[in-house]
Amino acid sequence: MINKTKGPLIKVEKVSVTYNEGQSNEVRSLIDGNLKLYPEEYVIIFGPSGCGKSTLLYTIAGLQKPSKGQVIIGEQNVYELGKKEKVEFHRRKIGLIFQAFYLIPSLNVLDNVCLPKTAAGSRIKKRKADAQILLNRFGIANQASKMPSELSGGQKQRVSIARSLANNPDIILADEPVGNLDSISKHNVMKILDDLNKKDKKMIILVTHDASHLRYGDRILYMRDGKIVKEEIVKNKQSIGDAMPEEITTSEKIAPDLKMLMRAFQDLSLSQIGVLLAPFKAQQLFSHILLSKTYEQIDRTTKGLEDLLLSKATYDEFVEKLDISLDEGGAGFDKRNAEKFAKHAMALITTKRKIDPKKSEISAKILLDYLVDYFELKLTEEQTKRTKILLSLRVKNKISVAEIQKGFDMPVREGGSGLDKRTAEKMAREIEIIMLLTYG
Ligand code: ADP
Ligand code: MG
């Protein structure tokens, strides 16, 4: 929750960061950034790699001195602090979490968590007891005497979160904290951050380039090329449940990711970040069509899809890219699979291009034609009518993916399309991916 009663806790005023100023390799990583951040809010800094997210975060943290402007936390100008004061300030005010964890390899888990307290000079016994409480809280109590190298990525990140909390700071800064984790650990860490915000009332500033995280914040700052290009208050902020999300327990991991994304975007206008989403869209599109490929194949195919999405490559060029062997820089599909794959991708993309959310009737008809064609459906007049109504509602964002699936599955006399469950599910997924592609 954003609590403005006490005024902003952090003020970023006209801050610019330029690396290698005046030299040939000068980089303007942050340009004239202005921000007011309030106690207890959960802020997400979102943007593509290299746009300056980390620079902004570290500037707020007092770690990256701005070339211009100032950062004020509480009443304090962060860059006017002396060295000793700064250490003290950090310890009391700010907890940091990084993608790469940065645990000390030669210290065991408990000692890593105690580390920030060592400087605070509290007694060893008390320090260790406090650290143990944090480990308990994050479900890693029995790892206390292990060395970091013995832990999984998810466990390491929980240790690093525990460490960031050692001195109970009001502000937690997290730089892509789940970037290196598997989906279960991602969920655990995101849940911890959510709890720290909701239950412990910590201000969270999360840097991410993962669009599925957007729905957890109170406020999203979109960054591009060193600038905050857009700011958005999240109206339907969502909480993370204790239970594992569905996507982790089912074998089909792709569709639920999309579901998350769709939910994340339901209330946002995304005109400014369309191109920015292309890599993500391409990846999703790929996974959607085909799962079992090597990393290299996935990588090359995804790049090909991105070009296709952005019209940088034609259909024929895409087929060729898929067909060429890995050694020659292609994706190493055989001809038949390349064509089948490319045809499906192209059908999705051309359908997407014809969709206009403002023209829901026409769009619904286009989607219907796509489904009939792709699934070779034979629908009665009544089924056609029902299905079109559902599609039109989906285009207008009046119903969710789950609801449209239910509608496809429901008997005609109850107002549904009357299709079998499996087909309903597959159809909903096709619609979902097309809808995703239409964003931005
Ligand atoms: P992000 O976190 O969004 O990926 P960064 O803030 O890390 O982006 O980087 C923004 C830009 O600044 C990039 O072009 C990056 O190469 C450059 N940059 C970051 N740190 C340095 C540095 N220490 N020296 C020179 N350039 C840097
Ligand atoms: Mg970064």
Side-chain angles (χ1 to χ4, degrees):
M1 269 249 301
I2 306 180
N3 178 355
K4 291 196 173 181
T5 50
K6 287 183 235 155
L9 177 57
I10 301 179
K11 285 187 278 184
V12 174
E13 296 176 341
K14 295 192 169 176
V15 167
S16 296
V17 174
T18 308
Y19 294 106
N20 311 317
E21 197 157 6
Q23 296 172 38
S24 61
N25 57 350
E26 179 178 290
V27 187
R28 299 182 70 196
S29 297
L30 187 59
I31 303 163
D32 210 20
N34 285 295
L35 276 179
K36 285 197 176 86
L37 304 173
Y38 294 86
E40 299 175 29
E41 76 169 320
Y42 190 153
V43 183
I44 294 182
I45 302 173
F46 177 74
S49 172
C51 70
K53 303 182 294 296
S54 297
T55 303
L56 174 60
L57 195 76
Y58 297 134
T59 308
I60 292 172
L63 300 171
Q64 173 61 56
K65 192 171 169 26
S67 320
K68 279 192 204 129
Q70 55 186 5
V71 176
I72 311 224
I73 300 190
E75 303 285 292
Q76 187 63 55
N77 183 329
V78 177
Y79 293 95
E80 279 176 0
L81 292 167
K83 209 171 169 187
K84 240 180 154 174
E85 293 169 286
K86 202 164 183 172
V87 171
E88 179 63 23
F89 165 84
H90 249 260
R91 212 173 46 225
R92 290 206 342 264
K93 284 273 184 206
I94 292 177
L96 279 164
I97 307 165
F98 306 92
Q99 179 173 359
F101 323 123
Y102 297 130
L103 300 176
I104 310 280
S106 57
L107 295 178
N108 73 20
V109 164
L110 193 68
D111 290 338
N112 261 288
V113 176
C114 289
L115 206 60
K117 287 217 149 195
T118 318
S122 64
R123 290 182 170 266
I124 291 186
K125 242 186 161 165
K126 168 93 170 87
R127 282 206 303 258
K128 295 212 169 178
D130 289 347
Q132 190 64 51
I133 290 170
L134 287 168
L135 294 180
N136 290 350
R137 172 169 180 185
F138 301 138
I140 39 174
N142 45 18
Q143 317 292 332
S145 56
K146 286 198 181 154
M147 301 310 267
S149 61
E150 297 173 81
L151 304 182
S152 71
Q155 290 170 329
K156 281 184 199 161
Q157 195 55 295
R158 280 181 274 165
V159 174
S160 103
I161 294 174
R163 179 185 58 189
S164 78
L165 291 168
N167 291 308
N168 199 21
D170 298 328
I171 306 166
I172 305 287
L173 306 180
D175 192 0
E176 313 237 8
V178 302
N180 272 338
L181 305 180
D182 62 85
S183 52
I184 292 178
S185 303
K186 271 193 174 104
H187 174 78
N188 283 335
V189 167
M190 290 303 291
K191 168 76 180 143
I192 289 173
L193 292 178
D194 201 45
D195 278 353
L196 289 174
N197 177 244
K198 281 222 186 59
K199 297 186 183 153
D200 301 65
K201 309 287 179 202
K202 306 272 182 214
M203 177 201 267
I204 308 280
I205 308 179
L206 170 74
V207 162
T208 183
H209 66 260
D210 184 339
S212 70
H213 297 154
L214 296 183
R215 65 190 169 123
Y216 301 127
D218 293 307
R219 188 148 61 124
I220 318 294
L221 305 171
Y222 294 92
M223 281 192 78
R224 219 171 163 186
D225 300 330
K227 289 188 189 145
I228 299 163
V229 290
K230 186 166 100 165
E231 198 187 308
E232 201 128 21
I233 306 285
V234 179
K235 283 183 232 124
N236 294 344
K237 185 188 173 189
Q238 303 210 4
S239 291
I240 307 181
D242 285 313
M244 282 299 154
E246 217 181 315
E247 66 262 37
I248 288 162
T249 49
T250 63
S251 57
E252 291 170 320
K253 296 190 179 167
I254 302 312
D257 276 355
L258 282 177
K259 269 181 206 155
M260 262 206 292
L261 197 79
M262 301 301 291
R263 261 185 263 134
F265 289 162
Q266 229 162 32
D267 297 317
L268 305 180
S269 87
L270 284 165
S271 52
Q272 284 177 304
I273 57 164
V275 178
L276 187 153
L277 280 175
F280 182 78
K281 288 177 183 175
Q283 196 190 358
Q284 293 296 319
L285 190 51
F286 174 83
S287 313
H288 171 73
I289 298 168
L290 195 76
L291 281 169
S292 54
K293 288 281 160 188
T294 65
Y295 175 75
E296 222 171 6
Q297 285 181 303
I298 292 178
D299 194 44
R300 289 188 189 161
T301 311
T302 308
K303 290 209 176 81
L305 280 169
E306 204 178 322
D307 288 345
L308 199 63
L309 271 168
L310 297 172
S311 303
K312 284 191 204 158
T314 64
Y315 172 79
D316 289 338
E317 284 164 347
F318 181 59
V319 175
E320 195 179 305
K321 169 143 189 171
L322 294 184
D323 188 28
I324 292 172
S325 72
L326 283 167
D327 292 342
E328 292 166 291
F333 284 50
D334 68 56
K335 186 94 193 167
R336 229 193 58 203
N337 281 332
E339 268 168 7
K340 194 172 151 212
F341 184 98
K343 225 172 115 189
H344 191 176
M346 204 60 212
L348 287 165
I349 291 172
T350 41
T351 304
K352 160 245 165 172
R353 288 191 180 133
K354 289 187 235 157
I355 299 295
D356 180 352
K358 285 187 223 93
K359 296 181 188 156
S360 59
E361 290 309 305
I362 299 170
S363 300
K365 175 80 174 74
I366 291 162
L367 290 173
L368 179 68
D369 290 346
Y370 173 82
L371 291 175
V372 167
D373 187 46
Y374 187 72
F375 292 102
E376 298 177 0
L377 298 174
K378 294 195 174 54
L379 302 177
T380 65
E381 203 173 310
E382 193 57 25
Q383 280 182 307
T384 305
K385 204 173 111 198
R386 297 285 171 212
T387 310
K388 222 177 120 190
I389 292 170
L390 287 166
L391 290 167
S392 158
L393 289 170
R394 184 68 196 97
V395 171
K396 285 187 276 191
N397 242 333
K398 293 260 166 71
I399 57 172
S400 68
V401 182
E403 284 164 329
I404 201 170
Q405 182 178 328
K406 233 167 133 188
F408 288 154
D409 189 23
M410 206 181 275
V412 176
R413 66 188 135 75
E414 288 172 37
S417 304
L419 297 161
D420 70 87
K421 199 163 177 209
R422 189 80 194 114
T423 311
E425 204 178 306
K426 283 192 197 159
M427 278 171 48
R429 238 182 293 149
E430 290 296 310
I431 295 307
E432 197 173 354
I433 191 97
I434 295 170
M435 291 303 293
L436 165 73
L437 295 175
T438 63
Y439 281 105

